[in-house]
Amino acid sequence: VNPQTYTGKCPSDEIFCNDQLQWRWEKSRALYTSMYLDKILKSSLKALKFVHYRVREAMRIAEMARHDYVLPVFIFSRPFYLHNIEALSQEDLVHTVGESAALGMARIILWEGYEYSDSKETCLSVQKFIQGPLDRYAVNVTTAAKLCSQSLCHNNGRCAQKAPESSSYLHMPESSSKKYALCKSLRVIISPANKLKTIKDMKDGFVCHCSHGWHGESCQQRSSDVLRGKDKPPMANFKLSASLPDLLFDSVDFFYPLRQHQFFLEILKGRRC
């Protein structure tokens, strides 16, 4: 990546190629893409551009694949910079996790490999980041995504930015408090007044991407074909199984049990330090 000339935009020949694969997208039940941030882009506007345009192209394909709903898009990513053991900065957590959620992603899966458990010192450093900055930010975003889906989409869709270049994010207000519940998972507490203001801001900045079987501005209308049992998500003719390497830590229990149509972020399970 040349940071001096990098724009983040998807090359026109790649867009053309994706358009020619319309037949494939129409047979898909979900789309999967990857998003690994190079350290050379650390905490820069170019990092945001990298994620923004990559996710936008995935969402463009997801929207054109079906006429009745937007395919869910899943992202494989890392909580560290590419080929590095340095954790993402707070700014780049927003650039990756925050930007993806705001653009309407269904799920982000964070994973790592053996190199992060080469030594106890490295392993504990990774654990500290996952249970610290990543924990707090993930709780904030997933809580906001759940609130937006409930308030705008009646739990029948995901929220996505109204405008492609919008600066709106699915964030709970800074005044929200955080506390550990009995199960030792982090929860966000918000006052009724702040909750109403947050919902108003969400209505100003986001629209709904309805799940399969639902449509309308707020995803309240049930598809008549689904009610008659005629319309079902397309079956994929191609199946792929992948074996990921053993990972570092058990999944941190900071995620709400969101429905499949809502934004979700998880850390794949693996070995402890």
Side-chain angles (χ1 to χ4, degrees):
V1 177
N2 185 341
Q4 303 302 320
T5 59
Y6 184 70
T7 65
K9 293 184 178 180
C10 191
S12 57
D13 56 339
E14 292 294 337
I15 294 176
F16 175 79
C17 181
N18 287 334
D19 289 342
Q20 299 308 302
L21 292 172
Q22 175 72 17
W23 59 271
R24 185 176 183 179
W25 313 135
E26 290 174 351
K27 299 296 183 181
S28 300
R29 301 183 68 175
L31 300 180
Y32 299 82
T33 186
S34 61
M35 182 179 65
Y36 303 116
L37 196 61
D38 198 306
K39 189 178 177 181
I40 198 171
L41 300 176
K42 179 181 177 181
S43 300
S44 69
L45 183 59
K46 291 180 174 60
L48 176 60
K49 290 180 179 179
F50 167 76
V51 175
H52 178 81
Y53 287 108
R54 194 174 185 87
V55 173
R56 272 186 60 183
E57 177 61 9
M59 292 305 300
R60 185 185 73 86
I61 297 170
E63 291 175 9
M64 74 180 190
R66 300 275 295 179
H67 70 278
D68 49 350
Y69 74 106
V70 179
L71 287 180
V73 179
F74 299 83
I75 291 180
F76 283 92
S77 189
R78 298 154 48 100
F80 303 90
Y81 295 104
L82 188 62
H83 306 308
N84 204 287
I85 60 172
E86 182 178 345
L88 295 179
S89 66
Q90 183 64 42
E91 189 173 2
D92 283 334
L93 282 177
V94 177
H95 289 162
T96 53
V97 175
E99 184 71 10
S100 299
L103 288 172
M105 291 294 98
R107 178 174 295 197
I108 298 180
I109 302 98
L110 301 180
W111 69 282
E112 287 303 342
Y114 281 115
E115 65 270 24
Y116 293 87
S117 58
D118 283 344
S119 68
K120 184 174 182 179
E121 181 181 8
T122 300
C123 189
L124 290 175
S125 176
V126 172
Q127 185 181 49
K128 182 179 179 180
F129 172 70
I130 290 177
Q131 296 179 347
L134 179 58
D135 184 336
R136 292 188 293 272
Y137 187 64
V139 170
N140 187 297
V141 174
T142 51
T143 302
K146 180 181 180 181
L147 177 62
C148 193
S149 177
Q150 290 175 338
S151 304
L152 274 64
C153 315
H154 294 84
N155 268 336
N156 298 319
R158 293 182 301 278
C159 290
Q161 291 174 344
K162 281 185 177 180
E165 306 298 334
S166 171
S167 59
S168 298
Y169 282 96
L170 290 169
H171 286 164
M172 298 300 285
E174 293 183 2
S175 57
S176 303
S177 61
K178 302 175 181 65
K179 72 174 184 178
Y180 283 90
L182 293 177
C183 60
K184 296 184 179 180
S185 58
L186 197 60
R187 293 291 184 266
V188 175
I189 309 299
I190 184 172
S191 68
N194 278 339
K195 182 177 181 179
L196 290 175
K197 182 181 183 305
T198 300
I199 293 173
K200 180 182 181 302
D201 291 340
M202 288 175 173
K203 289 180 178 179
D204 291 339
F206 293 88
V207 295
C208 291
H209 282 177
C210 300
S211 304
H212 176 256
W214 297 93
H215 63 279
E217 184 176 343
S218 56
C219 305
Q220 282 185 288
Q221 302 175 41
R222 199 79 161 105
S223 169
S224 57
D225 288 338
V226 171
L227 291 174
R228 292 194 298 268
K230 294 182 178 181
D231 186 23
K232 297 180 180 180
M235 294 296 294
N237 294 324
F238 175 74
K239 291 185 178 181
L240 173 67
S241 61
S243 177
L244 296 178
D246 285 344
L247 306 171
L248 292 177
F249 308 108
D250 286 344
S251 178
V252 183
D253 294 325
F254 50 57
F255 302 115
Y256 285 96
L258 303 184
R259 298 186 182 184
Q260 187 176 1
H261 59 258
Q262 294 176 337
F263 172 77
F264 187 78
L265 185 152
E266 66 175 307
I267 299 174
L268 295 180
K269 291 185 177 181
R271 298 179 291 114
R272 293 183 181 275
C273 293

